[in-house]
Amino acid sequence: MTIVKDLLTFFMYAVIAIAAQNAVFTRAFGVSRLIRIVDSGELALSKFTLMLTVVQLLSAPLAFFANRLLSGISLRSALRPLVFVLCSGIAYLIVLLVLGLLSYKTQIKSLKDYVAVLGAATFNCSVIGTLLLTATGGYTLLQTMGFALGTALGYGVALLMVSEGQRKIQNRNVPSTFRGLPITLIYIGIIALAIYGFTGHMPSI
Amino acid sequence: MHTDRLFLNNPVLIAGFGLAPIVIAATTLSNALVLALGVLLMLTPTRVLAAAVCSKVPAHLRLLVYALCAGLVYIPTYMIVRGVFGVGIEAVGLYLPLLVVEPIIIKRAERPQPETVMMALRKGLATTAGFLLALFLCAALREYLGLGTLLGHPVAAGAPFPLANYTAGGFILIGLLAAFWRWCQNLFKKYVNLEAKQEL
C-alpha cells in the first residue's frame, strides 16, 4: 500500500509539473533558451529534452541531500545557487563521461549531437529553478524526483508547442516587426493564459 | 551598430536574454530595483572573472566555469542586496538566485573564442546597461497597467490592464514592447541609410 501511495505521489508531482505548473508557461524558467532553440531550428528537440531529463533526474537527488547539509548554515540562501550549480555540474560531467565511453565503444555518430546540446540542457534556468523551488518548498525526495521529471518533460512539451506554433505563425500575414521574438512571446503568453483557464492564477514567485 | 547594446542590439528586447526575471518578477518598479542591483553586481564581475579563468579551460567546460563563477559572485551580491533591501529581496523570490544560470550572464561561454578580460569588462557594462533599460521600462509599464501606480504612488484611477501583472500578461506585454522596439529600430536604420545616400 505504501508503494502505491509513493508511486501516486511521484506521478502526481510529475503531472503537476508538466501541466498546471509548467516551467515555461507558469514560471518562465528557461524561456530565453527555449526561444533561442526554437528560433535557430538547428537543435533536435527530442535530444535536448532527453539530455535535460537525464541531467534533471541526476542533479535532483544530489541537490536534495546538499540542501539538507546546508540547513544548519546561516548563509544557506547565499550559498544555495553555487551548491546547486555544483550538483548540476556533477550531473553534467557524469553524462559527458557516459557519452564519451559510449562513443568510444560503439562508434555511434549521433552521440556527438547529444554532447553538443548537453551544456545548454544542464546550465539552464529550468534545472536550477526546479532545484531551488523544491529545496525552498520543503519537498520530500520522492516529490523532488517527481517534480524534476515533470519539469523536464514539461519543458519538452513547451518546446514542442512553441516550435509547432512558430512553424504556423512564420508566414507573410505576420507584420515584419512582429516576426521572431515578439510573436513568439505573445504566443507563449496566450498559452500561459489558457493554462490559467484550467488552474487559475498561482503566484510564480 | 552591432555593438550597441542599449538600443539597436538590446539584450532583452532584441536578443531575448534575461526574460525569466523580467516576465515574472519585474511587475513593479520596487521589484525592478532589487533585480537591477543584483544584475549590476553580478553580470560584469562574473564575465570578467570567467574570462580570466576561461583562457585555459577546454570549450566543453566553459559553461560550467561561467556558472560556477556566477555562483561565487552571487554570494557577496546576495549579502549586499539583502543589506540594501532587507526583506524586500523576498519580492523577487527565486529570480535573484536564478541569475547564476540566466543566459544574459553565461551565454558568452557558448562562443568558440574566449573573450579577453578587457572585452568582458566593456561588453559586460554595455549588456548591463541594456538590460537595466529594458527592465525599468517593462517594470514601469507593468506597474502602471497592472496596478495603476508608479513606485507605489497612485497615478491612475484604477488598473488599466490588470493582466499585465500576471505571467501571461508579462509575456504579451514584453512581446508588444519588443515589436515596438523593432519598429523604432527599423525607422532609425532607414533614417541612417537615407542620410548616407544624401551624403553620397
Side-chain angles (χ1 to χ4, degrees):
Chain A
M1 195 63 193
T2 318
I3 296 171
V4 176
K5 202 177 166 187
D6 288 348
L7 274 172
L8 273 175
T9 307
F10 179 84
F11 283 111
M12 195 180 77
Y13 272 79
V15 170
I16 287 172
I18 293 172
Q21 291 197 30
N22 186 286
V24 176
F25 299 126
T26 63
R27 297 183 196 278
F29 285 166
V31 72
S32 300
R33 177 81 67 187
L34 180 136
I35 289 170
R36 305 292 290 188
I37 292 170
V38 171
D39 267 354
S40 72
E42 291 164 7
L43 293 179
L45 306 185
S46 55
K47 286 174 184 164
F48 185 87
T49 308
L50 180 65
M51 286 297 100
L52 180 70
T53 310
V54 173
V55 168
Q56 188 98 64
L57 285 176
L58 283 174
S59 53
L62 290 175
F64 177 81
F65 291 111
N67 189 52
R68 276 192 168 184
L69 293 176
L70 283 176
S71 62
I73 302 169
S74 59
L75 276 176
R76 62 182 174 278
S77 298
L79 289 172
R80 217 178 254 140
L82 178 65
V83 172
F84 288 176
V85 166
L86 270 172
C87 293
S88 52
I90 292 169
Y92 171 79
L93 292 175
I94 292 170
V95 179
L96 197 64
L97 193 71
V98 170
L99 287 174
L101 283 173
L102 274 175
S103 161
Y104 177 72
K105 296 227 170 174
T106 61
Q107 311 286 321
I108 301 171
K109 284 181 182 170
S110 65
L111 287 174
K112 277 185 181 172
D113 298 342
Y114 288 98
V115 175
V117 299
L118 182 59
T122 308
F123 302 103
N124 186 315
C125 287
S126 170
V127 175
I128 303 291
T130 305
L131 301 181
L132 285 166
L133 199 69
T134 53
T136 52
Y139 287 31
T140 64
L141 181 61
L142 206 66
Q143 291 168 344
T144 302
M145 295 301 291
F147 200 80
L149 176 68
T151 304
L153 295 178
Y155 196 90
V157 169
L159 262 175
L160 201 67
M161 284 174 83
V162 177
S163 65
E164 184 58 20
Q166 187 91 328
R167 197 174 63 80
K168 290 194 173 162
I169 55 184
Q170 293 299 348
N171 62 38
R172 285 173 180 272
N173 294 330
V174 178
S176 62
T177 49
F178 275 87
R179 276 182 214 152
L181 177 71
I183 197 72
T184 310
L185 284 173
I186 293 169
Y187 176 74
I188 295 173
I190 292 168
I191 299 175
L193 203 55
I195 291 176
Y196 281 168
F198 288 113
T199 63
H201 175 65
M202 280 176 287
S204 308
I205 291 174
Chain B
M1 265 190 184
H2 186 71
T3 54
D4 170 24
R5 310 249 154 161
L6 207 60
F7 175 61
L8 289 171
N9 199 21
N10 187 283
V12 180
L13 297 170
I14 298 293
F17 294 136
L19 289 169
I22 293 188
V23 167
I24 305 288
T27 50
T28 61
L29 277 171
S30 50
N31 283 7
L33 283 172
V34 180
L35 283 173
L37 185 60
V39 171
L40 196 66
L41 294 171
M42 276 188 75
L43 200 150
T44 309
T46 299
R47 218 161 149 163
V48 169
L49 183 64
V53 176
C54 270
S55 57
K56 288 161 192 155
V57 173
H60 58 274
L61 292 180
R62 269 189 217 139
L63 261 170
L64 174 62
V65 172
Y66 265 74
L68 285 174
C69 289
L72 276 174
V73 173
Y74 179 75
I75 298 169
T77 301
Y78 174 83
M79 290 173 177
I80 295 169
V81 178
R82 177 111 210 163
V84 173
F85 294 100
V87 288
I89 198 173
E90 307 295 337
V92 295
L94 299 176
Y95 293 86
L96 191 66
L98 213 54
L99 287 175
V100 298
V101 281
E102 182 51 57
I104 199 165
I105 292 181
I106 65 165
K107 187 79 173 77
R108 183 59 181 78
E110 290 173 26
R111 295 252 186 97
Q113 290 296 322
E115 61 183 349
T116 62
V117 172
M118 280 315 288
M119 193 180 279
L121 180 68
R122 199 163 46 83
K123 288 196 173 174
L125 290 171
T127 308
T128 306
F131 179 83
L132 296 189
L133 175 69
L135 173 70
F136 284 118
L137 201 62
C138 291
L141 205 61
R142 289 180 76 185
E143 186 174 351
Y144 172 71
L145 292 173
L147 300 169
T149 61
L150 278 178
L151 272 171
H153 302 292
V155 287
F161 181 57
L163 185 67
N165 234 8
Y166 300 134
T167 308
F171 278 123
I172 293 169
L173 210 66
I174 295 165
L176 291 173
L177 201 60
F180 176 71
W181 205 266
R182 276 185 190 199
W183 181 73
C184 295
Q185 189 195 43
N186 289 343
L187 272 185
F188 178 75
K189 280 181 183 171
K190 270 183 196 166
Y191 171 76
V192 170
N193 285 341
L194 201 72
E195 287 274 296
K197 273 182 191 169
Q198 278 175 354
E199 274 181 25
L200 283 172

